[in-house]
């Protein structure tokens, strides 16, 4: 084995260890960012004196927006996990934030849309995001190019994980 090949072979475990460390850090950051987003939304509603809805539910209403969807469509769009969607949709119907009706085509499917109250909650989240857009570059140091690069990386990671499931890799 020549000296270059030996050095390359010895560098592989170090490179693999570094990649593993970075991968695990990314996983922790993704989880932490989602929890932090929920904290930011919760804080926004608490400052507004609203205790009738939690952050997960507010985010769900924001993601439904003007659409008419089924719980399955919310799951396939990647917003939520199964039981989480069903439970929160049921609660939001009970609280008067969501309209629901059985589909005319498939009576088993329930289509949901926002009530006026649900639209108000979604608007609070939209306004929060708009405020963030106004200061994220100046305060957070994140500009359009940084978001483009970050989004490309996260989309690749999403595709990788999806392939792991689809192809059982």
């Amino acid at each position: 084995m020549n000296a270059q090949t030996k050095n390359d072979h010895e560098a592989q475990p170090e490179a693999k260890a570094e990649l593993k460390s970075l991968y695990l850090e990314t996983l922790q950051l993704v989880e932490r960012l989602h929890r932090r987003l929920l904290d930011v939304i919760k804080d926004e509603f608490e400052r507004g004196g609203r205790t009738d809805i939690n952050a997960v539910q507010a985010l769900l209403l924001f993601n439904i927006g003007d659409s008419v969807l089924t719980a399955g469509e919310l799951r396939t769009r990647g917003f939520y996990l199964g039981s989480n969607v069903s439970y929160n949709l049921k609660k939001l119907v009970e609280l008067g934030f969501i309209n629901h009706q059985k589909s005319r085509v498939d009576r088993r499917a329930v289509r949901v849309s926002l009530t006026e109250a649900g639209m108000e909650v979604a608007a609070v989240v939209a306004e929060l995001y708009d405020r963030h857009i106004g200061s994220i570059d100046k305060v957070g140091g994140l500009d359009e190019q940084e978001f483009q690069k970050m989004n490309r990386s996260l989309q690749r990671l999403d595709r990788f994980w999806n392939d792991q499931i689809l192809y059982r890799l």
Side-chain angles (χ1 to χ4, degrees), residues 113-143:
S113 61
L114 302 187
T115 63
E116 191 65 39
M119 287 185 228
E120 290 172 10
V121 170
V124 170
V125 176
E127 290 167 11
L128 171 66
Y129 290 171
D130 286 343
R131 278 200 327 270
H132 290 170
I133 298 305
S135 64
I136 200 158
D137 187 10
K138 291 176 269 195
V139 177
L142 295 164
D143 63 12

Side-chain angles (χ1 to χ4, degrees), residues 20-42:
K20 180 178 181 178
S21 175
L22 292 168
Y23 179 68
L24 294 175
E25 181 181 4
T26 298
L27 298 180
Q28 288 176 333
L29 285 169
V30 167
E31 288 183 70
R32 186 181 324 149
L33 285 170
H34 182 68
R35 286 192 308 271
R36 186 79 67 225
L37 172 63
L38 294 175
D39 288 344
V40 167
I41 293 170
K42 177 180 179 262

Side-chain angles (χ1 to χ4, degrees), residues 41-61:
I41 293 170
K42 177 180 179 262
D43 183 61
E44 181 71 10
F45 281 91
E46 286 177 351
R47 278 190 276 136
R50 297 223 34 190
T51 58
D52 56 337
I53 190 162
N54 68 39
V56 170
Q57 293 164 343
L59 191 57
L60 179 59
L61 293 172

Side-chain angles (χ1 to χ4, degrees), residues 1-165:
M1 188 180 297
N2 67 32
Q4 182 61 41
T5 305
K6 185 178 179 185
N7 288 342
D8 289 346
H9 185 67
E10 290 172 358
Q12 284 180 334
E14 291 174 18
K16 190 173 182 179
E18 179 63 19
L19 181 58
K20 180 178 181 178
S21 175
L22 292 168
Y23 179 68
L24 294 175
E25 181 181 4
T26 298
L27 298 180
Q28 288 176 333
L29 285 169
V30 167
E31 288 183 70
R32 186 181 324 149
L33 285 170
H34 182 68
R35 286 192 308 271
R36 186 79 67 225
L37 172 63
L38 294 175
D39 288 344
V40 167
I41 293 170
K42 177 180 179 262
D43 183 61
E44 181 71 10
F45 281 91
E46 286 177 351
R47 278 190 276 136
R50 297 223 34 190
T51 58
D52 56 337
I53 190 162
N54 68 39
V56 170
Q57 293 164 343
L59 191 57
L60 179 59
L61 293 172
F62 174 80
N63 285 324
I64 292 171
D66 294 334
S67 301
V68 178
L69 305 166
T70 66
E73 288 170 325
L74 285 168
R75 281 190 299 272
T76 58
R77 291 178 183 201
F79 292 134
Y80 304 95
L81 300 174
S83 62
N84 188 13
V85 173
S86 300
Y87 170 79
N88 281 304
L89 286 177
K90 182 180 176 193
K91 288 297 288 180
L92 290 167
V93 168
E94 290 171 6
L95 293 168
F97 293 111
I98 287 186
N99 292 313
H100 71 104
Q101 65 185 45
K102 290 196 182 287
S103 169
R104 284 178 273 138
V105 176
D106 181 354
R107 301 301 289 168
R108 296 168 297 173
V110 176
R111 306 207 42 88
V112 297
S113 61
L114 302 187
T115 63
E116 191 65 39
M119 287 185 228
E120 290 172 10
V121 170
V124 170
V125 176
E127 290 167 11
L128 171 66
Y129 290 171
D130 286 343
R131 278 200 327 270
H132 290 170
I133 298 305
S135 64
I136 200 158
D137 187 10
K138 291 176 269 195
V139 177
L142 295 164
D143 63 12
E144 187 176 333
Q145 289 177 342
E146 187 110 16
F147 276 107
Q148 287 172 346
K149 184 175 181 180
M150 183 173 14
N151 290 345
R152 276 192 308 272
S153 295
L154 290 171
Q155 287 165 353
R156 283 190 206 125
L157 185 57
D158 182 48
R159 271 193 305 274
F160 173 76
W161 285 343
N162 192 50
D163 288 350
Q164 298 300 301
I165 296 165

